[in-house]
Amino acid sequence: MLKIAVLTGAGVSAESGLKTFRDSNGLWEGHDVMEVASPQGFHKNPALVLDFYNQRRKQLLEVLPNAAHHALADLEKDHEVTIITQNVDDLHERAGSSNVIHLHGELLKVRSTFDESLILDWKQDLNIGDFCEHNHQLRPHIVWFGEAVPLMEVAMDIVARAEVLIIVGTSMQVYPAAGLIQYASYNTSVYFVDPNPSIRSSERVTVFAEKATTGVPKVVAALNS
Ligand code: APR
């Protein structure tokens, strides 16, 4: 039984039908990322931002986990696995992973703009005028650009203790998440799965330069062999 930390990004969900961020020139479903994913964007045009996340929420409810999500969930049968995802979708959970840390929040949750610890499950549209119990507007439970990443310390600790670190489908461009690899111990084996990998193979890093649905099962097979 190995202690395994898995860091995933948008690429792990790409083959489920959810677009990545940087594969489309910084445009996310046709929007400037800063307009729809920053506190300033929300202040400037809250209706646009809420509508954007309403569309994303609807889309999420129409897609399914893919072979990569399932292979990562299956790893739990033989190992102690924690998934640290930058994704706001729930595809790891739907595939059966039981320890999932969402560094950048969750699309199927909203929170109060008055008290950020007041978090609610939310599957329907979120509109202007949807208030928390203190009569303040609810907002998506998403870590926007410029906001703190509250679960970062937990994630650093998990990576530091891991014997194996698997990284899947991330451009490693967004900090602090991209810096997590620095917390891995010198003797941790690192596997990186991405068709356009930002890390090269080395003595401790094995790169599978391919899509998640083919690459992740190969990593799992290597760990179980
Ligand atoms: N399988 C695996 N990886 C893939 C696939 C696939 N089928 N398709 C694309 N990729 C890879 C790309 O090569 C790229 O390296 O997924 C990565 C996606 O990178 P980004 O779009 O930058 O997504 P991510 O790294 O998750 O972004 C980090 O940035 O916009 C913010 O908060 C948002 O969580 C997000 C963060």
Short mmCIF file of all heavy atoms in Angstrom, two decimals, residues 126-189:
data_model
loop_
_atom_site.label_atom_id
_atom_site.label_comp_id
_atom_site.label_asym_id
_atom_site.label_seq_id
_atom_site.Cartn_x
_atom_site.Cartn_y
_atom_site.Cartn_z
N LEU A 126 -28.02 29.97 -10.07
CA LEU A 126 -27.85 30.96 -8.99
C LEU A 126 -28.10 32.33 -9.60
O LEU A 126 -27.48 32.68 -10.62
CB LEU A 126 -26.43 30.88 -8.43
CG LEU A 126 -26.09 31.86 -7.31
CD1 LEU A 126 -26.91 31.57 -6.05
CD2 LEU A 126 -24.60 31.78 -6.95
N ASN A 127 -29.02 33.09 -9.00
CA ASN A 127 -29.42 34.37 -9.60
C ASN A 127 -29.21 35.53 -8.63
O ASN A 127 -29.09 35.32 -7.42
CB ASN A 127 -30.91 34.31 -9.99
CG ASN A 127 -31.14 33.26 -11.06
OD1 ASN A 127 -30.49 33.27 -12.11
ND2 ASN A 127 -32.03 32.32 -10.79
N ILE A 128 -29.20 36.73 -9.19
CA ILE A 128 -29.17 37.91 -8.33
C ILE A 128 -30.45 37.90 -7.53
O ILE A 128 -31.54 37.66 -8.07
CB ILE A 128 -29.02 39.18 -9.19
CG1 ILE A 128 -27.62 39.18 -9.78
CG2 ILE A 128 -29.28 40.44 -8.37
CD1 ILE A 128 -27.29 40.30 -10.68
N GLY A 129 -30.32 38.10 -6.21
CA GLY A 129 -31.50 38.03 -5.34
C GLY A 129 -31.58 36.71 -4.59
O GLY A 129 -32.43 36.55 -3.72
N ASP A 130 -30.69 35.76 -4.91
CA ASP A 130 -30.60 34.53 -4.09
C ASP A 130 -29.70 34.85 -2.90
O ASP A 130 -28.50 35.09 -3.07
CB ASP A 130 -30.00 33.36 -4.91
CG ASP A 130 -30.99 32.80 -5.92
OD1 ASP A 130 -32.21 32.90 -5.68
OD2 ASP A 130 -30.53 32.26 -6.95
N PHE A 131 -30.32 34.89 -1.72
CA PHE A 131 -29.62 35.36 -0.53
C PHE A 131 -29.33 34.24 0.45
O PHE A 131 -30.02 33.22 0.49
CB PHE A 131 -30.48 36.40 0.21
CG PHE A 131 -30.63 37.70 -0.52
CD1 PHE A 131 -31.76 38.48 -0.36
CD2 PHE A 131 -29.63 38.17 -1.37
CE1 PHE A 131 -31.90 39.69 -1.02
CE2 PHE A 131 -29.75 39.38 -2.04
CZ PHE A 131 -30.90 40.14 -1.86
N CYS A 132 -28.31 34.48 1.29
CA CYS A 132 -28.03 33.57 2.41
C CYS A 132 -28.98 33.92 3.56
O CYS A 132 -29.77 34.86 3.45
CB CYS A 132 -26.57 33.72 2.86
SG CYS A 132 -26.23 35.27 3.71
N GLU A 133 -28.85 33.18 4.65
CA GLU A 133 -29.77 33.40 5.78
C GLU A 133 -29.59 34.77 6.42
O GLU A 133 -30.44 35.23 7.18
CB GLU A 133 -29.60 32.29 6.82
CG GLU A 133 -28.23 32.26 7.45
CD GLU A 133 -27.90 30.91 8.11
OE1 GLU A 133 -28.06 29.87 7.47
OE2 GLU A 133 -27.49 30.94 9.29
N HIS A 134 -28.47 35.45 6.10
CA HIS A 134 -28.26 36.80 6.63
C HIS A 134 -28.64 37.87 5.60
O HIS A 134 -28.24 39.02 5.72
CB HIS A 134 -26.78 37.00 7.01
CG HIS A 134 -26.29 35.97 7.98
ND1 HIS A 134 -26.77 35.86 9.26
CD2 HIS A 134 -25.37 34.97 7.84
CE1 HIS A 134 -26.15 34.86 9.88
NE2 HIS A 134 -25.31 34.30 9.03
N ASN A 135 -29.38 37.45 4.57
CA ASN A 135 -29.84 38.38 3.53
C ASN A 135 -28.72 39.02 2.71
O ASN A 135 -28.79 40.20 2.37
CB ASN A 135 -30.73 39.48 4.12
CG ASN A 135 -32.11 38.95 4.38
OD1 ASN A 135 -32.56 38.01 3.68
ND2 ASN A 135 -32.78 39.48 5.38
N HIS A 136 -27.68 38.24 2.44
CA HIS A 136 -26.62 38.72 1.55
C HIS A 136 -26.57 37.81 0.32
O HIS A 136 -26.87 36.62 0.41
CB HIS A 136 -25.26 38.72 2.25
CG HIS A 136 -25.14 39.82 3.27
ND1 HIS A 136 -24.57 41.04 3.00
CD2 HIS A 136 -25.57 39.88 4.55
CE1 HIS A 136 -24.64 41.81 4.07
NE2 HIS A 136 -25.24 41.12 5.03
N GLN A 137 -26.19 38.41 -0.79
CA GLN A 137 -26.13 37.68 -2.05
C GLN A 137 -25.23 36.44 -1.93
O GLN A 137 -24.17 36.48 -1.31
CB GLN A 137 -25.58 38.62 -3.14
CG GLN A 137 -25.41 37.98 -4.51
CD GLN A 137 -26.73 37.57 -5.16
OE1 GLN A 137 -27.71 38.32 -5.12
NE2 GLN A 137 -26.76 36.40 -5.76
N LEU A 138 -25.67 35.36 -2.53
CA LEU A 138 -24.83 34.16 -2.64
C LEU A 138 -23.95 34.28 -3.89
O LEU A 138 -24.36 34.89 -4.88
CB LEU A 138 -25.71 32.91 -2.74
CG LEU A 138 -26.50 32.55 -1.49
CD1 LEU A 138 -27.61 31.56 -1.82
CD2 LEU A 138 -25.57 31.96 -0.42
N ARG A 139 -22.78 33.68 -3.84
CA ARG A 139 -21.86 33.69 -4.99
C ARG A 139 -21.35 32.26 -5.22
O ARG A 139 -21.42 31.42 -4.30
CB ARG A 139 -20.68 34.62 -4.74
CG ARG A 139 -19.87 34.27 -3.50
CD ARG A 139 -18.49 34.89 -3.50
NE ARG A 139 -17.54 34.05 -4.22
CZ ARG A 139 -16.24 34.32 -4.35
NH1 ARG A 139 -15.74 35.42 -3.83
NH2 ARG A 139 -15.43 33.49 -4.98
N PRO A 140 -20.80 31.99 -6.39
CA PRO A 140 -20.24 30.65 -6.60
C PRO A 140 -19.13 30.36 -5.59
O PRO A 140 -18.39 31.27 -5.20
CB PRO A 140 -19.66 30.74 -8.02
CG PRO A 140 -20.43 31.85 -8.69
CD PRO A 140 -20.74 32.83 -7.60
N HIS A 141 -19.02 29.10 -5.17
CA HIS A 141 -17.97 28.69 -4.23
C HIS A 141 -16.72 28.34 -5.04
O HIS A 141 -16.33 27.17 -5.17
CB HIS A 141 -18.46 27.50 -3.41
CG HIS A 141 -17.48 27.04 -2.37
ND1 HIS A 141 -16.87 27.90 -1.48
CD2 HIS A 141 -17.00 25.80 -2.07
CE1 HIS A 141 -16.06 27.21 -0.70
NE2 HIS A 141 -16.11 25.94 -1.04
N ILE A 142 -16.15 29.37 -5.64
CA ILE A 142 -15.02 29.20 -6.56
C ILE A 142 -13.91 30.14 -6.07
O ILE A 142 -14.20 31.26 -5.65
CB ILE A 142 -15.41 29.65 -7.99
CG1 ILE A 142 -16.64 28.89 -8.52
CG2 ILE A 142 -14.23 29.55 -8.95
CD1 ILE A 142 -16.42 27.48 -8.97
N VAL A 143 -12.67 29.65 -6.12
CA VAL A 143 -11.54 30.53 -5.81
C VAL A 143 -11.21 31.29 -7.09
O VAL A 143 -10.74 30.70 -8.07
CB VAL A 143 -10.31 29.71 -5.34
CG1 VAL A 143 -9.11 30.63 -5.14
CG2 VAL A 143 -10.63 28.97 -4.05
N TRP A 144 -11.48 32.57 -7.10
CA TRP A 144 -11.21 33.37 -8.29
C TRP A 144 -9.78 33.89 -8.27
O TRP A 144 -9.11 33.89 -7.24
CB TRP A 144 -12.20 34.55 -8.34
CG TRP A 144 -13.58 34.15 -8.76
CD1 TRP A 144 -13.92 33.15 -9.62
CD2 TRP A 144 -14.82 34.75 -8.33
NE1 TRP A 144 -15.30 33.10 -9.76
CE2 TRP A 144 -15.86 34.07 -8.99
CE3 TRP A 144 -15.15 35.80 -7.47
CZ2 TRP A 144 -17.20 34.39 -8.82
CZ3 TRP A 144 -16.48 36.14 -7.30
CH2 TRP A 144 -17.50 35.44 -7.96
N PHE A 145 -9.33 34.38 -9.45
CA PHE A 145 -7.99 34.96 -9.54
C PHE A 145 -7.86 36.09 -8.53
O PHE A 145 -8.76 36.93 -8.41
CB PHE A 145 -7.72 35.47 -10.96
CG PHE A 145 -7.44 34.35 -11.91
CD1 PHE A 145 -8.43 33.88 -12.76
CD2 PHE A 145 -6.20 33.73 -11.92
CE1 PHE A 145 -8.19 32.82 -13.60
CE2 PHE A 145 -5.95 32.67 -12.77
CZ PHE A 145 -6.94 32.21 -13.61
N GLY A 146 -6.77 36.09 -7.81
CA GLY A 146 -6.53 37.14 -6.82
C GLY A 146 -7.03 36.76 -5.43
O GLY A 146 -6.76 37.47 -4.47
N GLU A 147 -7.74 35.65 -5.31
CA GLU A 147 -8.24 35.23 -4.00
C GLU A 147 -7.30 34.17 -3.39
O GLU A 147 -6.60 33.46 -4.10
CB GLU A 147 -9.66 34.67 -4.12
CG GLU A 147 -10.64 35.75 -4.56
CD GLU A 147 -12.09 35.29 -4.53
OE1 GLU A 147 -12.36 34.15 -4.98
OE2 GLU A 147 -12.94 36.06 -4.09
N ALA A 148 -7.36 34.08 -2.05
CA ALA A 148 -6.52 33.11 -1.35
C ALA A 148 -7.01 31.69 -1.66
O ALA A 148 -8.17 31.48 -2.02
CB ALA A 148 -6.59 33.37 0.14
N VAL A 149 -6.10 30.73 -1.53
CA VAL A 149 -6.44 29.31 -1.74
C VAL A 149 -6.43 28.64 -0.36
O VAL A 149 -5.38 28.21 0.12
CB VAL A 149 -5.41 28.66 -2.69
CG1 VAL A 149 -5.75 27.19 -2.95
CG2 VAL A 149 -5.32 29.42 -4.01
N PRO A 150 -7.58 28.58 0.29
CA PRO A 150 -7.60 28.15 1.70
C PRO A 150 -7.08 26.74 1.95
O PRO A 150 -6.57 26.47 3.03
CB PRO A 150 -9.09 28.24 2.10
CG PRO A 150 -9.75 29.05 1.03
CD PRO A 150 -8.92 28.92 -0.20
N LEU A 151 -7.19 25.85 0.96
CA LEU A 151 -6.77 24.47 1.21
C LEU A 151 -5.32 24.19 0.82
O LEU A 151 -4.87 23.04 0.82
CB LEU A 151 -7.71 23.50 0.47
CG LEU A 151 -9.14 23.49 1.04
CD1 LEU A 151 -10.07 22.69 0.14
CD2 LEU A 151 -9.15 22.89 2.45
N MET A 152 -4.59 25.24 0.51
CA MET A 152 -3.22 25.06 0.03
C MET A 152 -2.33 24.36 1.07
O MET A 152 -1.56 23.46 0.72
CB MET A 152 -2.67 26.45 -0.32
CG MET A 152 -1.44 26.42 -1.15
SD MET A 152 -1.62 25.50 -2.68
CE MET A 152 0.10 25.18 -3.01
N GLU A 153 -2.46 24.75 2.33
CA GLU A 153 -1.58 24.15 3.35
C GLU A 153 -1.85 22.66 3.52
O GLU A 153 -0.94 21.86 3.67
CB GLU A 153 -1.78 24.85 4.69
CG GLU A 153 -1.34 26.30 4.61
CD GLU A 153 -0.48 26.71 5.78
OE1 GLU A 153 -0.50 26.02 6.81
OE2 GLU A 153 0.22 27.73 5.65
N VAL A 154 -3.14 22.31 3.47
CA VAL A 154 -3.52 20.89 3.56
C VAL A 154 -2.89 20.14 2.39
O VAL A 154 -2.31 19.06 2.54
CB VAL A 154 -5.06 20.76 3.49
CG1 VAL A 154 -5.49 19.30 3.54
CG2 VAL A 154 -5.72 21.53 4.61
N ALA A 155 -2.97 20.74 1.20
CA ALA A 155 -2.43 20.09 0.00
C ALA A 155 -0.92 19.94 0.09
O ALA A 155 -0.35 18.89 -0.27
CB ALA A 155 -2.82 20.90 -1.24
N MET A 156 -0.23 20.95 0.59
CA MET A 156 1.23 20.89 0.72
C MET A 156 1.63 19.74 1.62
O MET A 156 2.57 18.98 1.34
CB MET A 156 1.75 22.21 1.32
CG MET A 156 1.86 23.31 0.30
SD MET A 156 1.81 25.02 0.95
CE MET A 156 2.70 24.95 2.42
N ASP A 157 0.89 19.57 2.69
CA ASP A 157 1.19 18.52 3.65
C ASP A 157 1.00 17.14 3.01
O ASP A 157 1.82 16.23 3.20
CB ASP A 157 0.25 18.72 4.85
CG ASP A 157 0.63 17.82 5.99
OD1 ASP A 157 1.81 17.83 6.34
OD2 ASP A 157 -0.25 17.11 6.52
N ILE A 158 -0.06 17.00 2.23
CA ILE A 158 -0.34 15.70 1.59
C ILE A 158 0.77 15.36 0.58
O ILE A 158 1.26 14.23 0.52
CB ILE A 158 -1.72 15.72 0.92
CG1 ILE A 158 -2.78 15.70 2.02
CG2 ILE A 158 -1.92 14.56 -0.05
CD1 ILE A 158 -4.12 16.18 1.60
N VAL A 159 1.18 16.36 -0.20
CA VAL A 159 2.24 16.13 -1.19
C VAL A 159 3.55 15.79 -0.47
O VAL A 159 4.28 14.88 -0.87
CB VAL A 159 2.41 17.36 -2.11
CG1 VAL A 159 3.66 17.22 -2.98
CG2 VAL A 159 1.17 17.54 -2.99
N ALA A 160 3.82 16.50 0.62
CA ALA A 160 5.08 16.26 1.35
C ALA A 160 5.17 14.84 1.90
O ALA A 160 6.24 14.27 2.01
CB ALA A 160 5.22 17.28 2.48
N ARG A 161 4.02 14.25 2.24
CA ARG A 161 4.03 12.90 2.81
C ARG A 161 3.92 11.79 1.77
O ARG A 161 4.01 10.61 2.10
CB ARG A 161 2.82 12.72 3.72
CG ARG A 161 2.90 13.50 4.99
CD ARG A 161 1.51 13.44 5.51
NE ARG A 161 1.25 14.37 6.54
CZ ARG A 161 0.75 14.03 7.70
NH1 ARG A 161 0.50 12.76 7.96
NH2 ARG A 161 0.47 14.94 8.57
N ALA A 162 3.66 12.17 0.51
CA ALA A 162 3.38 11.15 -0.51
C ALA A 162 4.64 10.39 -0.92
O ALA A 162 5.72 10.96 -1.03
CB ALA A 162 2.76 11.82 -1.74
N GLU A 163 4.45 9.08 -1.15
CA GLU A 163 5.56 8.29 -1.71
C GLU A 163 5.53 8.37 -3.23
O GLU A 163 6.54 8.17 -3.90
CB GLU A 163 5.42 6.83 -1.27
CG GLU A 163 5.57 6.65 0.23
CD GLU A 163 5.03 5.32 0.69
OE1 GLU A 163 3.80 5.23 0.95
OE2 GLU A 163 5.81 4.36 0.77
N VAL A 164 4.32 8.63 -3.76
CA VAL A 164 4.15 8.75 -5.22
C VAL A 164 3.28 9.98 -5.48
O VAL A 164 2.29 10.20 -4.78
CB VAL A 164 3.43 7.50 -5.79
CG1 VAL A 164 3.12 7.68 -7.27
CG2 VAL A 164 4.26 6.25 -5.56
N LEU A 165 3.69 10.77 -6.47
CA LEU A 165 2.89 11.93 -6.87
C LEU A 165 2.53 11.76 -8.34
O LEU A 165 3.42 11.59 -9.19
CB LEU A 165 3.69 13.23 -6.68
CG LEU A 165 3.06 14.52 -7.22
CD1 LEU A 165 1.74 14.83 -6.51
CD2 LEU A 165 4.04 15.70 -7.04
N ILE A 166 1.23 11.76 -8.63
CA ILE A 166 0.77 11.64 -10.03
C ILE A 166 0.17 12.99 -10.41
O ILE A 166 -0.72 13.50 -9.72
CB ILE A 166 -0.30 10.55 -10.17
CG1 ILE A 166 0.19 9.20 -9.62
CG2 ILE A 166 -0.74 10.39 -11.63
CD1 ILE A 166 -0.90 8.12 -9.56
N ILE A 167 0.63 13.56 -11.51
CA ILE A 167 0.10 14.86 -11.97
C ILE A 167 -0.56 14.62 -13.32
O ILE A 167 0.03 14.00 -14.21
CB ILE A 167 1.22 15.90 -12.09
CG1 ILE A 167 1.98 16.02 -10.77
CG2 ILE A 167 0.65 17.26 -12.50
CD1 ILE A 167 3.18 16.97 -10.81
N VAL A 168 -1.78 15.10 -13.47
CA VAL A 168 -2.52 14.82 -14.71
C VAL A 168 -3.17 16.09 -15.26
O VAL A 168 -3.92 16.78 -14.55
CB VAL A 168 -3.67 13.80 -14.46
CG1 VAL A 168 -4.31 13.37 -15.80
CG2 VAL A 168 -3.20 12.58 -13.70
N GLY A 169 -2.89 16.39 -16.53
CA GLY A 169 -3.66 17.40 -17.26
C GLY A 169 -3.65 18.79 -16.67
O GLY A 169 -4.70 19.40 -16.54
N THR A 170 -2.47 19.28 -16.38
CA THR A 170 -2.40 20.67 -15.92
C THR A 170 -1.21 21.35 -16.58
O THR A 170 -0.15 20.75 -16.73
CB THR A 170 -2.31 20.77 -14.38
OG1 THR A 170 -2.08 22.15 -14.02
CG2 THR A 170 -1.25 19.91 -13.77
N SER A 171 -1.41 22.61 -16.95
CA SER A 171 -0.33 23.35 -17.61
C SER A 171 0.71 23.83 -16.59
O SER A 171 1.74 24.37 -16.97
CB SER A 171 -0.90 24.55 -18.36
OG SER A 171 -1.61 25.40 -17.47
N MET A 172 0.45 23.64 -15.30
CA MET A 172 1.36 24.06 -14.22
C MET A 172 1.72 25.54 -14.36
O MET A 172 2.86 25.94 -14.17
CB MET A 172 2.65 23.21 -14.24
CG MET A 172 2.42 21.73 -14.11
SD MET A 172 1.88 21.24 -12.47
CE MET A 172 3.42 21.06 -11.60
N GLN A 173 0.73 26.34 -14.69
CA GLN A 173 0.99 27.78 -14.88
C GLN A 173 0.37 28.62 -13.78
O GLN A 173 0.65 29.80 -13.68
CB GLN A 173 0.39 28.24 -16.21
CG GLN A 173 1.23 27.86 -17.38
CD GLN A 173 0.77 28.55 -18.64
OE1 GLN A 173 0.22 29.65 -18.61
NE2 GLN A 173 0.98 27.90 -19.76
N VAL A 174 -0.55 28.02 -13.02
CA VAL A 174 -1.28 28.83 -12.04
C VAL A 174 -0.80 28.50 -10.62
O VAL A 174 -0.90 27.36 -10.17
CB VAL A 174 -2.81 28.60 -12.18
CG1 VAL A 174 -3.57 29.32 -11.08
CG2 VAL A 174 -3.26 29.11 -13.53
N TYR A 175 -0.25 29.52 -10.00
CA TYR A 175 0.24 29.36 -8.62
C TYR A 175 -0.85 29.80 -7.64
O TYR A 175 -1.71 30.59 -8.01
CB TYR A 175 1.51 30.21 -8.44
CG TYR A 175 2.68 29.54 -9.09
CD1 TYR A 175 2.88 29.67 -10.46
CD2 TYR A 175 3.54 28.74 -8.35
CE1 TYR A 175 3.94 29.02 -11.08
CE2 TYR A 175 4.60 28.09 -8.97
CZ TYR A 175 4.79 28.23 -10.33
OH TYR A 175 5.83 27.57 -10.93
N PRO A 176 -0.88 29.29 -6.42
CA PRO A 176 0.15 28.44 -5.83
C PRO A 176 0.07 26.96 -6.20
O PRO A 176 1.01 26.22 -5.94
CB PRO A 176 -0.10 28.62 -4.33
CG PRO A 176 -1.55 28.90 -4.20
CD PRO A 176 -1.92 29.68 -5.42
N ALA A 177 -1.00 26.51 -6.86
CA ALA A 177 -1.15 25.06 -7.12
C ALA A 177 0.07 24.49 -7.84
O ALA A 177 0.58 23.41 -7.50
CB ALA A 177 -2.41 24.80 -7.92
N ALA A 178 0.58 25.22 -8.85
CA ALA A 178 1.69 24.71 -9.65
C ALA A 178 2.94 24.48 -8.80
O ALA A 178 3.81 23.69 -9.17
CB ALA A 178 1.98 25.67 -10.80
N GLY A 179 3.04 25.17 -7.68
CA GLY A 179 4.22 25.04 -6.82
C GLY A 179 4.18 23.81 -5.94
O GLY A 179 5.16 23.49 -5.27
N LEU A 180 3.06 23.07 -5.97
CA LEU A 180 2.93 21.92 -5.06
C LEU A 180 4.03 20.88 -5.26
O LEU A 180 4.47 20.24 -4.31
CB LEU A 180 1.56 21.26 -5.23
CG LEU A 180 0.42 21.88 -4.42
CD1 LEU A 180 -0.90 21.24 -4.81
CD2 LEU A 180 0.67 21.70 -2.92
N ILE A 181 4.47 20.72 -6.51
CA ILE A 181 5.48 19.70 -6.81
C ILE A 181 6.76 19.94 -6.00
O ILE A 181 7.47 19.01 -5.65
CB ILE A 181 5.76 19.62 -8.33
CG1 ILE A 181 6.64 18.42 -8.64
CG2 ILE A 181 6.32 20.91 -8.87
CD1 ILE A 181 6.79 18.12 -10.12
N GLN A 182 7.00 21.20 -5.66
CA GLN A 182 8.22 21.54 -4.88
C GLN A 182 8.18 20.92 -3.48
O GLN A 182 9.21 20.81 -2.82
CB GLN A 182 8.37 23.06 -4.70
CG GLN A 182 8.17 23.89 -5.94
CD GLN A 182 9.21 23.62 -7.00
OE1 GLN A 182 10.24 23.03 -6.69
NE2 GLN A 182 8.92 23.99 -8.23
N TYR A 183 6.99 20.56 -3.03
CA TYR A 183 6.87 20.03 -1.67
C TYR A 183 7.08 18.52 -1.62
O TYR A 183 7.11 17.92 -0.54
CB TYR A 183 5.51 20.41 -1.05
CG TYR A 183 5.45 21.90 -0.81
CD1 TYR A 183 5.03 22.75 -1.81
CD2 TYR A 183 5.89 22.44 0.38
CE1 TYR A 183 5.04 24.13 -1.63
CE2 TYR A 183 5.90 23.81 0.58
CZ TYR A 183 5.46 24.65 -0.43
OH TYR A 183 5.49 25.99 -0.24
N ALA A 184 7.19 17.90 -2.80
CA ALA A 184 7.41 16.45 -2.82
C ALA A 184 8.81 16.15 -2.30
O ALA A 184 9.76 16.89 -2.58
CB ALA A 184 7.24 15.93 -4.24
N SER A 185 8.93 15.06 -1.57
CA SER A 185 10.23 14.67 -1.03
C SER A 185 11.16 14.25 -2.18
O SER A 185 10.70 13.84 -3.24
CB SER A 185 9.99 13.52 -0.05
OG SER A 185 11.08 12.70 0.02
N TYR A 186 12.49 14.31 -1.94
CA TYR A 186 13.45 13.99 -3.01
C TYR A 186 13.30 12.55 -3.49
O TYR A 186 13.64 12.22 -4.61
CB TYR A 186 14.88 14.27 -2.53
CG TYR A 186 15.36 13.29 -1.50
CD1 TYR A 186 16.06 12.14 -1.87
CD2 TYR A 186 15.06 13.47 -0.15
CE1 TYR A 186 16.47 11.22 -0.93
CE2 TYR A 186 15.45 12.56 0.79
CZ TYR A 186 16.16 11.43 0.41
OH TYR A 186 16.52 10.51 1.34
N ASN A 187 12.77 11.66 -2.62
CA ASN A 187 12.64 10.26 -3.07
C ASN A 187 11.21 9.88 -3.48
O ASN A 187 10.89 8.70 -3.62
CB ASN A 187 13.21 9.29 -2.01
CG ASN A 187 12.55 9.48 -0.67
OD1 ASN A 187 11.66 10.32 -0.54
ND2 ASN A 187 12.99 8.72 0.33
N THR A 188 10.35 10.87 -3.66
CA THR A 188 9.00 10.60 -4.16
C THR A 188 9.06 10.37 -5.67
O THR A 188 9.68 11.14 -6.40
CB THR A 188 8.09 11.83 -3.87
OG1 THR A 188 8.01 12.01 -2.46
CG2 THR A 188 6.69 11.64 -4.43
N SER A 189 8.41 9.31 -6.13
CA SER A 189 8.35 9.07 -7.59
C SER A 189 7.23 9.93 -8.16
O SER A 189 6.12 9.93 -7.63
CB SER A 189 8.01 7.62 -7.90
OG SER A 189 8.81 6.78 -7.15
#
